[in-house]
Every structure is written in C-alpha cells, then in structure tokens.
Amino acid sequence: MIAAYRKLFALLLLVGHAWAIPSPGASSPYADLKVKESLRQAPSGWTLVGEPPADHIISLRIGLPQSNFETLKEHLFQISDPDHERYGQHLSKEEVEEFVKPPSHSLDKVNAWLKAHGFAEVDLERSPAKDWVSIKVPVKLAEEMLGTTYNMWKHDESGDTLVRTTSYSLPSSLHAHIDVIQPTTMFSRFNPLSTTFHWPDAASRSATYKAPTRASDARLAAVDPSCSSTITIKCLQQLYNTGGYVPQVPEKNSVGITGYLEQFANLNDLKLFYQDQVPNAVNSSYEFVSVKGGLNNQTTNSAGAEANLDVQFAFGLTFPTPATFWSTAGRPPFLPDLTTPSNTNEPYGDWVDFVLAQEKVPYVISTSYGEPEQTVPEAYARRVCDSFAQLGARGVSLLFSSGDGGVGDGSSSASHRCKTNDGRNATRFLPTFPAGCPYVTAVGGTTEVPEVSVDFSGGGFSDYFPRPAYQDDSVNAFLKTVPSGLYKDLYNPAGRGFPDVAAQGTSFRIFYRGRSASIGGTSASSPAFAGIVTLLNDARLAQGKSPLGFLNPAIYAKGYAGLNDITGGYSNVGCGTKGFNATAGWDPITGLGTPDFLKLKTILADNLD
Ligand SMILES: *[C@@H]1O[C@H](CO)[C@@H](O)[C@H](O)[C@H]1NC(C)=O
Ligand SMILES: *[C@@H]1O[C@H](CO)[C@@H](O)[C@H](O)[C@H]1NC(C)=O
Ligand SMILES: *[C@@H]1O[C@H](CO)[C@@H](O)[C@H](O)[C@H]1NC(C)=O
Ligand SMILES: *[C@@H]1O[C@H](CO)[C@@H](O)[C@H](O)[C@H]1NC(C)=O
C-alpha cells in the first residue's frame, strides 16, 4: 500500500516540478535542471532556523549507478545458500568492484559536470570501485549545481542542527548517471541504541505479556540464577550453550565493532571489565582504527557507554580472536560556524567506503546504531544497503541492532510519534534502518531466564525493501497469526521482516568511567550475537572451511534449528499499539530466536561445507 502511494507521490512531484531552472550560464549544457529528489515537507520535528553562512562547506557524496549490481546479488545469494554448490565461495575485493563500478560513460558525464564547476581530479575523493565520488563544496556553489537552497534546520527534541534542503535538481542529461547526492534531503540522526533500562509499571507491563507456548529447556537449570537480573559474559556462555568452547584458530579469525557519534571505548574500562568477567583477557586489547578523523580520547570521562558495551561484550566473548574497533566521525550537531568541517553527517557511507577499500575485513561486524527508515531518503538507503551486500559477498557477516522503540521509534515527543513524513502525517509503524536492509542480520532483544521477548525490541516490516525470498516461508507463517484487519495500513506485510534473530537485551553489566554499570537495549543484543557468530566462524576456519559470510539464507534454511525459538513475552509496544507478539517460529520481535552455540556449530560448521 504505502510503497505504491510513495511511488505515485514521487511521480506527481516530478511532474509538478519539471521546469527548467534558469542558471547563470543559460547556454551551458547543464542549464536544464530537473528535480531529482524532493520531500513534501521536512520530517516532523525539524524547524527551519535560517540560512547557513555563505562560506559554509558541504561534503557532497555523489552515487553513480553501478554497472552490474543484479549479478553481484545473484552471486551473493548463491554463495550464501547452504544448499548451493557454491556455498562459501566468497568473492574477492576486485571481483566485487568489477560488478559495482559505474559504466564508463556515466563516469565521463559526471566528471565533465564536475570539471565544468571547477573541480579537478585532485579535488575528488573516490570509493574503491569509483561508484561514489565526494567533493567539498561551498554551500553557494552546491546550491548552484543542484538548483536548490540549503537551510539550517534544528531538531526540536535534541537541539541538533543540520544544513539541509527539501529538494534538489540535476541537469536532465545527468539524471541517468547519478543515483543519489547527499547530504541534501537526509534528516536522519543516526542514534546509538543503548538505553538505561526502565521497566514500565507492573500493570502496563502485564498488559503486554503473552505466556510462552514452548516448554523451557531443561538445560537452563545450569544457568546461574543471577543471570535473571544481571547479564555477564558467563551468563551469555551458559544461556547460549557455548559448552566451554575456546577459539581454536584465533590467528585466522577476526571480529569488529563500529562506533559513531564520537563514541569510542575506554581501555581502562575494558581492563576492569576483563578483571571482573574474563580474567584471561586482562592484558589484551583491540586494534583502534580512526575513520575520517574519528576520535579515541583515552582521558577519563570521554569514552561512550555504547562503545564500551559493544567492545566489552563482543570482544569478551571472542577473546583471543583479533578485534577491531572503528571510530567514525560525522555527527550532528553540525556546528554552523565551522566552515571546513571534517564530518559529512553521513557516516555509514564514510565507514563502508573505508572498509570496502581494505583487502582484509573482519569476518563479523556488529553495529548498534539505527534510525527510523523514513528519515533516510530511499535512494540513499538503497545504496547503503547495496554496499552491505558487497561486504556480504566478500564473506563478512554484518549484524545490526533492530532498534529500541518496539514498532515505533520510541520518541518521547507524542506529537511526532509514528507519523509519516510523506505529507500525510498518517500514523504508521516506523521500521529501523539499517536493520531493515535485507543484506544484514538484524538482532532483536530478549529478557529474563527462561528468555522471553522484551517490549522495546525493534521489529516490523520495511517500507523500502521488499521481503527477500529467504524469509518468505517464515514471515508468511507469522503473518497468518496476526488477527485479520489488525494494524491495517500501519505496516507493509510485503516488506522485509526484521529482526532475524535475537539475544538478551537488558541489564548487561559493563564498566563505564571506572565503575560497573547496568545497560541494555538491542545495542547489547547485537554484539552478543556477533560474539557467537565469531565462535562459529572459528569452528569453521579450524576445519579449513570459509567463514559464514552473509548469514540470513543459511539461518532461515537450516540455522533456525540451532536457535532457541522465543514464543512469548512482552509485545513490542509502540505508536499507541501493543505491537507484535513473539510466537512459535519467526516473529517481528525476536526473529527466529536466540543462539544455541553447540547446536549451531553442528548445523553451520561441522555439517556444512
Ligand atoms: C598480565 O600482565 C601482568 C603484568 O605483566 C602479569 O603479571 C599477568 O600475569 C598478566 N595476566 C595475564 C592473564 O596474562
Ligand atoms: C580529549 O582529551 C583532552 C585532555 O587530554 C581534553 O582536553 C579534550 O577536551 C578531549 N577531547 C574530547 C573531544 O573529548
Ligand atoms: C503535517 O504536519 C506538518 C508539520 O506539523 C504540517 O505543516 C502539515 O500541514 C501537516 N500536513 C497534513 C496533511 O496534515
Ligand atoms: C498478542 O497476543 C495477545 C494475547 O494472546 C492477543 O490478544 C493479541 O491479539 C496478539 N497480538 C497480535 C498482533 O497477534
């Protein structure tokens, strides 16, 4: 429903705006500007506060079409399908780049346009496959090139400011040669998903509770009773049945964590955490990598809780596997008086370009950031999602938190809650991006022992990405359980359903600023699941097999039998509704369930070549 509406809407806008905007060089081949992308209005919650300074510099990223993404996708699905003879035969960096490099005539046309505006090759920064080009450009010139006017916008809730526009144009001769240019219409804020956890009061809590239908596993008797109230590394090892597994070939394996928004981890806190929970690891560390000036300030009180959580749990579970932490700059608030910012406010692109340029990329990467899908313009979301497919084809498993707002965005501001920003202000569930990208594994949250679904666990159905074939059966089975007519028009049943899997998401005991602290959110679930996947890769690598790579096809086809199906708990409330329930089989709150390492090892490592 909504997809059709959006397409129609875009078409109307294009027709409405298809006039040529007169430009200084009216005779130039670039004078014929036509609208490329346009929003009906700025997303709710943003207020126009004025013009940016004339000398303000914008870092524009220009996405050129990729010559052969469809073929790359075919390869990706073959090498990720456990029943295909090519399973596990990942592509090299060069092979992937061959598929996504832009057609040469597109490259030539864009180069000529940039040259006409005074840019030389040295001014351009290109992605490895040349499918993205970035330029630093004064706002006045950007406005001329894109036939638009940039403004400063303020986010009412946080006070963050951004320099953005609601519409931009391109010469009509370039429309077929440029997919997307940002930052233009992107108002996303890219939030870390860790939260200090507060249960709602008992009454509203029980109103969202549905008893599990599956008898709990006898194995849980071995789980320490303290795990019901505090999650430690040992709890995760017991709950997820690692059976004392010790990495066999750490030198062949790798794991990584991404940090954004000036988030980096504190090494002293990591040491305290290891003393508390992983004494063998106490002298170990990880490789810190700064992307575009990402910080790593080790003075007390400057590390972030999110980064500490992710690093402590992912690396604590996988010690002594070599670990990498990327700190990527690029965060609102955008300081309006900064004329040469090092950030682009567009961090996924910066990070993914950086990582795609590396010959060797960690086999498992967990990211605990996300935002409502509708705040990321669709064309840009697609390109970012396609970049994740490139990493999958190279054998990398990408895990993302599913979000902490249930079926909504958890916004505390009632007037903005769950409203579409397509001009209708209709109430609608808000799926999370990148969790809704079909080429990543989205991780939802659970709580308690035995595990039940937790009410904040982000889940639902993408409005941008259709349901991939690998989850057809599972998601269809779930949809049959939703009472007919319920939530009609609130979600897109034909969309990519998420999360795919789940892990504990409350009361993780971390160390932060020198002291122990309790933290939760699907931010905790993603690194926990990533830790288990890293151990599975170790088991595969020790047998001379390839790493798992893009996980979903194998998880939906076989791996589900090694997951603990979560069949009840607190529904993922949001948007003034009770949200969805955890059910037998897949559901949009805990996916297919939480890991049972020893079972998964048999299915995905020992019995899968
Ligand atoms: C850590 O290093 C200290 C100092 O070198 C040493 O005494 C200790 O045994 C080491 N601990 C481990 C677990 O390697
Ligand atoms: C980094 O640490 C220094 C002290 O060494 C401090 O002065 C500075 O403000 C810190 N920077 C950030 C961005 O936290
Ligand atoms: C939607 O909300 C915006 C901002 O609150 C308002 O300007 C606009 O008129 C509303 N549109 C409709 C169709 O209600
Ligand atoms: C969730 O479960 C409750 C209690 O069994 C039921 O009333 C409700 O309709 C279910 N909701 C959905 C979306 O299936």
Side-chain angles (χ1 to χ4, degrees), residues 170-475:
L170 283 173
S172 35
S173 62
L174 282 172
H175 273 232
H177 305 290
I178 291 179
D179 278 358
V180 59
I181 301 190
Q182 290 294 350
T184 47
T185 54
M186 183 166 68
F187 284 80
S188 46
R189 294 184 53 251
F190 200 60
N191 288 315
L193 293 171
S194 60
T195 42
T196 310
F197 183 67
H198 300 290
W199 273 113
D201 63 78
S204 58
R205 218 180 125 184
S206 63
T208 70
Y209 191 83
K210 169 183 157 290
T213 55
R214 207 180 65 138
S216 76
D217 196 327
R219 194 178 48 76
L220 293 179
V223 176
D224 196 289
S226 68
C227 300
S228 293
S229 52
T230 304
I231 293 292
T232 60
I233 292 283
K234 200 165 166 194
C235 290
L236 294 178
Q237 289 168 336
Q238 292 174 348
L239 271 166
Y240 300 145
N241 198 22
T242 62
Y245 185 86
V246 176
Q248 308 294 296
V249 287
E251 71 284 357
K252 293 189 177 158
N253 200 4
S254 46
V255 58
I257 292 286
T258 59
Y260 297 93
L261 308 178
E262 271 119 57
Q263 282 261 355
F264 40 86
N266 183 275
L267 291 169
N268 191 49
D269 287 337
L270 182 62
K271 201 174 177 82
L272 293 172
F273 176 82
Y274 281 159
Q275 271 163 5
D276 185 54
Q277 299 184 30
V278 198
N280 282 346
V282 75
N283 294 332
S284 76
S285 187
Y286 54 88
E287 186 190 359
F288 173 85
V289 179
S290 168
V291 180
K292 293 255 172 166
L295 301 176
N296 185 26
N297 199 333
Q298 288 298 322
T299 52
T300 329
N301 295 353
S302 54
E306 175 66 67
N308 271 9
L309 165 68
D310 303 353
V311 157
Q312 290 172 12
F313 274 86
F315 301 167
L317 278 169
T318 57
F319 171 79
T321 304
T324 302
F325 180 83
W326 296 272
S327 168
T328 305
R331 129 186 247 277
F334 193 96
L335 299 178
D337 56 346
L338 220 61
T339 53
T340 49
S342 62
N343 73 39
T344 61
N345 292 170
E346 195 273 293
Y348 302 112
D350 287 338
W351 175 77
V352 89
D353 276 0
F354 181 91
V355 171
L356 282 170
Q358 311 298 310
E359 279 303 329
K360 275 188 73 100
V361 177
Y363 292 140
V364 175
I365 300 175
S366 171
T367 304
S368 294
Y369 292 77
E371 59 209 303
E373 183 179 80
Q374 68 167 358
T375 67
V376 185
E378 187 168 347
Y380 178 73
R382 288 193 183 286
R383 285 298 296 261
V384 169
C385 180
D386 290 353
S387 302
F388 295 148
Q390 294 177 48
L391 284 169
R394 288 176 57 182
V396 178
S397 305
L398 294 173
L399 294 104
F400 281 83
S401 306
S402 71
D404 287 351
V407 292
D409 68 350
S411 167
S412 59
S413 159
S415 58
H416 302 146
R417 208 174 286 152
C418 302
K419 296 278 185 258
T420 59
N421 62 11
D422 58 3
R424 297 181 307 154
N425 300 342
T427 301
R428 183 128 182 122
F429 291 168
L430 297 178
T432 312
F433 182 81
C437 163
Y439 309 123
V440 307
T441 301
V443 187
T446 62
T447 187
E448 300 177 4
V449 181
E451 286 182 277
V452 294
S453 54
V454 66
D455 63 349
F456 59 70
S457 182
F461 301 84
S462 172
D463 281 325
Y464 287 174
F465 301 101
R467 182 167 62 236
Y470 62 72
Q471 62 170 199
D472 255 346
D473 293 349
S474 309
V475 173

Side-chain angles (χ1 to χ4, degrees), residues 142-153:
E143 290 181 341
E144 189 189 315
M145 292 170 73
L146 304 180
T148 187
T149 304
Y150 276 93
N151 277 301
M152 291 202 327
W153 296 84

